[in-house]
Amino acid sequence: GIGGALVEAGLEACKERGFLASVVLGHSAYYPRFGYKPALSTFGIRSEYGVADEVFMAQELVAGALNGASGLVKFHPAFAADGL
């Protein structure tokens, strides 16, 4: 309940602020229920961490926003193991 409500509220806040897409590094059985899909195989987007496709996911907040997308997502340094 609470985790799902937080994810949904976060996605809604992103849409309200005009973000076109969202990425997440997380559990492959949890995030797809919110619309996330494997980022590399679906959109051509890689994570800087070199993780499996099924745990690095993305979703379009605006239909077609990731059409033709490719590249590498870099996370804020605070997310690095040595940044915590």
Side-chain angles (χ1 to χ4, degrees):
I2 293 173
L6 289 170
V7 172
E8 290 173 356
L11 289 171
E12 189 57 38
C14 287
K15 290 175 187 176
E16 289 172 2
R17 288 169 176 75
F19 289 100
L20 302 177
S22 171
V23 297
V24 66
L25 182 57
H27 199 279
S28 62
Y30 184 73
Y31 288 96
R33 72 182 78 174
F34 302 102
Y36 286 95
K37 299 175 184 171
L40 181 59
S41 61
T42 306
F43 301 111
I45 301 169
R46 297 175 289 118
S47 167
E48 70 177 309
Y49 297 126
V51 296
D53 191 32
E54 64 268 10
V55 299
F56 180 62
M57 297 167 269
Q59 75 164 285
E60 296 176 322
L61 301 177
V62 173
L66 295 177
N67 287 350
S70 65
L72 178 72
V73 170
K74 298 198 63 119
F75 290 83
H76 188 279
F79 290 102
D82 60 355
L84 297 177

